[in-house]
């Protein structure tokens, strides 16, 4: 029987509550689909930092490399300097483990969850491939004369050929795979989203796109500047198949994408280095105001477990979870995928679990 070692970082705010539901679903599918796993829990969070002043040490990053995958709840505490723990844990994982792909599916399961008029599940079914280790997240920069009227703040956007090429190649391969799996014969398409008109160095992405496209004659290529992309995502979301984009733009457009699929509570993501330890998380934050009230939507965390299992090669288990969530949403039993749904975190977990066991 296959066995996996999985790190768990429940984190802050609603993180532990949603991660708990994800782990209950993991336990159920492991039994149903016949695989084993060991969990290794890590305390890193804003709360832990306030108690111990400890961030993630390098030795723990090395330990993470020996796991099969890591599941993260959410990080962020209102009493800690903004971004300090997020940079240590989330970016520590992304940069430390070279998780160069941030895979963010945008898929609407039930029309009533979509805020767009006249759009349904057939219209909202695309994937964002966000470059995850460079761009404006490079951490290269700083301040000069801080706190004075002459202050200068500099932040460098870093785009390497290797970084652009490997993210682009992943996107093209994914587009080909998605087209092979869908029944409707639609041609695969990869849309590059950048801002190469105002930010000329972004043309490295344009050239990487053209270079990779030569190896994929079956895949259509497209392009949108990021501002226009936001407009098209609302006006004609059905045009998108696979989007590949920079770290910063991917961050921004996937919050918009989350709303198209039903809300921040439902969107899941994978931080991936193919063939190596990768990390899976809901895309939402720690939402401190909802913490401990059993109101947070756990579907993003449950979706992250499904993505993790797909990555580990447990595709039957991954599909079982995805179908259970899809059936639950289509049933209309969940009015909204957010803290105002009126359904408790653990109740929603129960609803998914029932469907996972029934094999919907
Ligand atoms: C995300 C988050 C993170 C990001 C934050 C918490 C650093 O917004 O995963 O989308 O900016 O990437
Ligand atoms: Mg974000």
């Amino acid at each position: 029987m296959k066995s996996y070692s999985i790190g768990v970082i429940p984190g802050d705010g609603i993180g532990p509550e949603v991660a708990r539901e994800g782990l209950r679903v993991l336990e159920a599918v492991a039994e149903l689909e016949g695989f084993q796993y060991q969990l290794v829990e890590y305390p890193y969070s804003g709360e832990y930092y306030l108690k111990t002043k400890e961030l993630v040490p390098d030795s723990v990053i090395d330990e993470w490399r020996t796991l099969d995958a890591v599941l993260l709840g959410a990080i962020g505490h209102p009493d800690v300097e903004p971004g300090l723990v997020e940079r240590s844990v989330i970016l520590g994982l992304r940069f430390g483990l070279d998780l160069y792909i941030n895979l963010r599916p945008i898929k609407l399961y039930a029309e009533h969850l979509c805020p767009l008029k006249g759009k349904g599940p057939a219209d909202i079914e695309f994937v964002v491939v966000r470059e995850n280790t460079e761009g404006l997240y490079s951490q290269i920069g700083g301040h000069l004369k801080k706190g004075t009227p002459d202050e200068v703040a500099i932040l460098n956007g870093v785009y390497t050929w290797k970084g652009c090429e490997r993210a682009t190649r992943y996107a093209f391969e994914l587009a080909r795979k998605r087209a092979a799996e869908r029944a409707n014969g639609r041609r695969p398409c990869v849309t590059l989203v950048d801002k190469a008109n105002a930010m000329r160095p972004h043309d490295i992405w344009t050239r990487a796109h053209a270079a990779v496209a030569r190896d994929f004659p079956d895949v259509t290529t497209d392009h949108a500047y990021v501002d226009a992309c936001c407009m098209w995502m609302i006006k004609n979301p059905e045009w998108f198949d696979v989007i590949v984009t920079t770290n910063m733009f991917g961050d921004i457009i996937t919050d918009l994408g989350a709303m198209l699929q039903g809300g921040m509570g439902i969107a899941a993501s994978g931080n991936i280095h193919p063939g190596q330890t990768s990390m899976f998380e809901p895309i939402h934050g720690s939402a401190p105001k909802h913490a401990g009230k059993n109101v947070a939507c756990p579907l993003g965390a449950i979706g992250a477990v499904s993505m993790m299992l797909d990555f580990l090669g447990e595709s039957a288990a991954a599909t079982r979870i995805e179908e259970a969530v899809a059936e639950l949403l289509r049933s209309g039993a969940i009015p909204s995928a957010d803290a105002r749904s009126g359904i408790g975190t653990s109740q929603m977990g129960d609803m998914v679990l029932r469907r996972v066991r029934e094999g919907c």
Side-chain angles (χ1 to χ4, degrees):
M1 199 184 278
K2 279 216 158 158
S3 184
Y4 306 99
S5 50
I6 297 170
V8 180
I9 309 171
D12 290 305
I14 60 171
E17 294 165 68
V18 297
R20 191 178 311 127
E21 299 312 310
L23 293 175
R24 287 171 71 208
V25 171
L26 176 64
E27 189 180 359
V29 291
E31 201 179 309
L32 288 160
E33 299 291 346
F35 64 86
Q36 292 181 328
Y37 60 91
Q38 303 84 46
L39 299 179
V40 191
E41 195 167 319
Y42 294 91
Y44 304 105
S45 63
E47 204 165 314
Y48 183 73
Y49 175 76
L50 287 174
K51 273 194 233 130
T52 63
K53 289 280 163 286
E54 199 189 335
L55 295 168
V56 180
D58 287 348
S59 59
V60 168
I61 302 216
D62 288 340
E63 191 178 312
W64 284 340
R65 281 187 242 280
T66 67
L67 302 170
D68 291 302
V70 176
L71 182 70
L72 185 138
I75 300 286
H77 194 290
D79 300 337
V80 181
E81 174 198 320
L84 180 72
V85 185
E86 291 89 324
R87 286 198 303 280
S88 169
V89 183
I90 302 178
L91 301 188
L93 276 155
R94 291 180 186 167
F95 297 163
L97 271 57
D98 194 28
L99 306 178
Y100 62 91
I101 298 297
N102 195 323
L103 186 63
R104 298 192 157 185
I106 296 171
K107 183 164 179 171
L108 175 67
Y109 289 105
E111 191 162 341
H112 72 279
L113 295 174
C114 183
L116 299 183
K117 223 184 333 164
K119 300 289 180 192
D123 304 303
I124 296 167
E125 209 282 285
F126 59 100
V127 186
V128 176
V129 173
R130 166 186 177 188
E131 197 292 319
N132 212 25
T133 55
E134 313 188 330
L136 286 165
Y137 281 62
S138 71
Q139 315 294 313
I140 298 177
H143 298 83
L144 183 65
K145 304 184 186 177
K146 193 169 180 177
T148 76
D150 296 326
E151 177 165 351
V152 179
I154 292 179
L155 174 64
N156 287 293
V158 173
Y159 306 94
T160 66
W161 181 260
K162 176 181 168 183
C164 298
E165 206 270 349
R166 64 185 180 174
T168 305
R169 188 165 294 280
Y170 185 95
F172 274 81
E173 275 162 7
L174 178 63
R176 191 179 262 175
K177 178 163 167 271
R178 278 166 52 84
E181 282 166 5
R182 64 183 164 233
N184 63 11
R186 181 181 165 190
R187 246 178 95 89
C189 177
V190 180
T191 305
L192 167 62
V193 170
D194 61 39
K195 192 66 189 172
N197 51 354
M199 300 156 87
R200 267 324 277 157
H202 273 189
D203 89 309
I204 188 173
W205 280 96
T206 318
R207 285 178 285 114
H209 208 70
V212 173
R214 283 198 283 277
D215 295 337
F216 294 83
D218 50 318
V219 180
T220 305
T221 62
D222 202 355
H223 171 258
Y225 295 125
V226 65
D227 46 349
C229 171
C230 292
M231 179 272 289
W232 293 125
M233 279 174 69
I234 301 298
K235 190 169 182 293
N236 294 103
E238 66 279 6
W239 286 357
F240 294 112
D241 179 14
V242 175
I243 289 177
V244 62
T245 191
T246 69
N247 207 341
M248 178 85 264
F249 295 161
D251 178 47
I252 296 168
I253 67 171
T254 54
D255 269 26
L256 180 60
M259 295 317 291
L260 298 183
Q261 67 191 123
M264 292 299 283
I266 204 172
S269 71
N271 299 265
I272 295 173
H273 186 126
Q276 295 186 21
T277 314
S278 294
M279 185 271 273
F280 299 81
E281 55 174 339
I283 86 161
H284 62 67
S286 60
K289 68 176 177 199
H290 297 311
K293 297 185 182 151
N294 194 35
V295 296
C297 176
L299 295 179
I302 292 171
V305 169
S306 171
M307 290 184 76
M308 176 175 81
L309 291 171
D310 188 56
F311 169 81
L312 291 173
E314 295 291 341
S315 53
T319 307
R320 195 184 260 273
I321 298 172
E322 194 191 342
E323 284 177 359
V325 170
E327 201 285 322
L328 173 62
L329 295 172
R330 283 186 205 120
S331 75
I334 308 281
S336 63
D338 56 28
R340 292 187 314 273
S341 71
I343 300 167
T345 310
S346 50
Q347 284 80 357
M348 219 182 276
D350 290 343
M351 291 163 114
V352 174
L353 272 173
R354 196 170 65 238
R355 287 164 173 85
V356 160
R357 294 207 175 94
E358 283 164 5
C360 291

